[in-house]
Amino acid sequence: MTVSLLRTAGELHARARTGRRAVVMTMGALHEGHATLVRTARRIAGPDGEVVVTVFVNPLQFGAGEDLDRYPRTLDADVELAGRSGADVVFAPSVDEVYPGGEPQVRVTAGPMGERLEGASRPGHFDGMLTVVAKLLHLTRPDAALYGQKDAQQLALIRRMVRDLNFGVEIVGVPTVREEDGLALSSRNRYLSAPERRTALALSRALFAGQDRHAAQEALRARAREVPATRARAEALSAIGESRAAADAHAVATAVPGGPAAVRAAARQVLDEAARLQPPLALDYLALVDPSDFTEIGDDFTGEAVLAVAARVGTTRLIDNIPLTFGNFGAAS
């Protein structure tokens, strides 16, 4: 479809609006993950609505020594992909348009959640991210804004900002898009050499290992809870050759530590092996957290959780995560 490239908020505000406006915020270098966001935005906006894709490399969220100057700028290709995916507008403002008075003196502060994990590794990153998201929400005036779940901590902070500061916008999280080999799509993947990319696959393999361990545990826990552990139960299971399975189920159900500790251990084993590869994976963090505040969960935790990892391969820093549910017996996770 035909897409308009706009450079100023005035141009965007002058457009007639007849339906819902859905916004996808990006820093450019668009890939299939972004295309999925745009296609989802198109469905939310509907045929009478409008989809706006922002392309802005935000200097506030890059720390000292990070890759602001190196970050890929591919606007022509971005406009083409956005239009092909269903966008009506690409809004690509200059730094002066977004920050007309230079770096803003008043900024949004991420608070304690913004100091954990990514915030600890990249001090000030989330303050800069939230500040530009707040500005772009004001500049684009959407009904809904969409963000990828790959940046789980970012998504959680945006949701918290919108709730705490009473932004009148719906925040939609879209599941992570992966390559066929499991690597989460990222604009930074293009920096990886072939050997580095092979090592980088350890991030998703570690998450899947944790997920598999968790699924096995939850299945055994659910099975152990289905029938009381009586002599009649044990005899019945033994008669059909399942006494070992019954014992395993009971052991898993009563094991301490279990649950989160075992999930972390399964994921860390993969990452420890990747640290011995050539080139090696340098782990930044592996965390299993409560998505409401990104604090580590305990072994008695029940509810939604996020297993998150960040690591560096060569000069490229990558992040990934998967959602898990603890204590939801009998349900897929």
Side-chain angles (χ1 to χ4, degrees):
M1 63 184 297
T2 302
V3 60
S4 299
L5 174 61
L6 305 181
R7 297 285 192 169
T8 70
E11 292 173 313
L12 185 58
H13 296 166
R15 289 177 64 88
R17 293 180 62 171
T18 58
R20 299 190 81 201
R21 175 178 284 174
V23 167
V24 175
M25 295 185 186
T26 83
M27 292 206 300
L30 304 190
H31 49 64
E32 181 57 29
H34 297 109
T36 299
L37 287 168
V38 177
R39 288 192 291 267
T40 306
R42 181 77 270 161
R43 291 195 294 272
I44 289 173
D48 299 324
E50 183 178 59
V51 174
V52 177
V53 175
T54 69
V55 175
F56 180 68
V57 182
N58 178 35
L60 295 191
Q61 65 195 74
F62 287 81
E66 293 190 333
D67 54 358
L68 173 60
D69 293 334
R70 187 183 172 209
Y71 199 87
R73 274 82 165 173
T74 58
L75 184 58
D76 289 344
D78 294 343
V79 171
E80 181 181 348
L81 184 147
R84 200 166 59 240
S85 304
D88 301 289
V89 174
V90 171
F91 177 52
S94 66
V95 172
D96 288 340
E97 178 72 13
V98 178
Y99 303 119
E103 289 196 7
Q105 295 185 33
V106 177
R107 307 188 186 196
V108 178
T109 300
M113 195 196 317
E115 298 172 358
R116 300 172 186 134
L117 301 187
E118 285 298 291
S121 298
R122 305 175 67 189
H125 165 73
F126 284 127
D127 292 355
M129 179 276 295
L130 289 177
T131 298
V132 79
V133 167
K135 288 183 71 75
L136 288 172
L137 287 174
H138 289 312
L139 291 172
T140 60
R141 303 173 183 174
D143 299 290
L146 293 84
Y147 304 89
Q149 291 177 358
K150 183 177 79 70
D151 297 297
Q153 192 172 3
Q154 170 181 284
L155 175 59
L157 282 163
I158 292 171
R159 282 178 165 150
R160 188 61 186 252
M161 177 184 73
V162 165
R163 182 171 68 250
D164 286 356
L165 301 184
N166 300 103
F167 281 70
V169 60
E170 177 189 2
I171 301 301
V172 179
V174 178
T176 301
V177 179
R178 299 184 179 277
E179 308 254 12
E180 289 185 4
D181 57 11
L183 187 68
L185 284 175
S186 169
S187 300
R188 289 188 169 92
N189 290 352
R190 68 185 65 196
Y191 299 149
L192 297 169
S193 67
E196 288 171 343
R197 197 181 188 288
R198 286 193 292 272
T199 295
L201 292 175
L203 274 77
S204 57
R205 285 203 307 267
L207 297 178
F208 296 149
Q211 182 182 54
D212 289 347
R213 181 65 178 270
H214 171 63
Q217 286 183 317
E218 292 291 282
L220 286 173
R221 288 173 191 270
R223 184 173 184 176
R225 290 166 65 94
E226 286 175 357
V227 183
T230 63
R231 173 178 290 274
R233 171 181 180 273
E235 290 174 351
L237 288 170
S238 181
I240 58 174
E242 294 190 10
S243 56
R244 176 59 185 273
D248 286 348
H250 181 70
V252 171
T254 59
V256 177
V263 170
R264 291 185 185 96
R268 184 168 290 278
Q269 181 177 353
V270 176
L271 297 169
D272 287 345
E273 292 170 357
R276 297 189 289 272
L277 297 176
Q278 289 299 325
L281 180 142
L283 182 64
D284 187 345
Y285 62 76
L286 171 70
L288 186 54
V289 298
D290 182 336
S292 68
D293 59 9
F294 272 70
T295 57
E296 289 280 354
I297 64 173
D299 289 329
D300 58 350
F301 179 87
T302 59
E304 301 296 322
V306 172
L307 180 62
V309 63
R312 192 174 296 275
V313 182
T315 61
T316 304
R317 187 175 184 277
L318 300 170
I319 63 172
D320 200 353
N321 73 85
I322 54 171
L324 299 174
T325 302
F326 287 86
N328 188 16
F329 298 111
S333 59

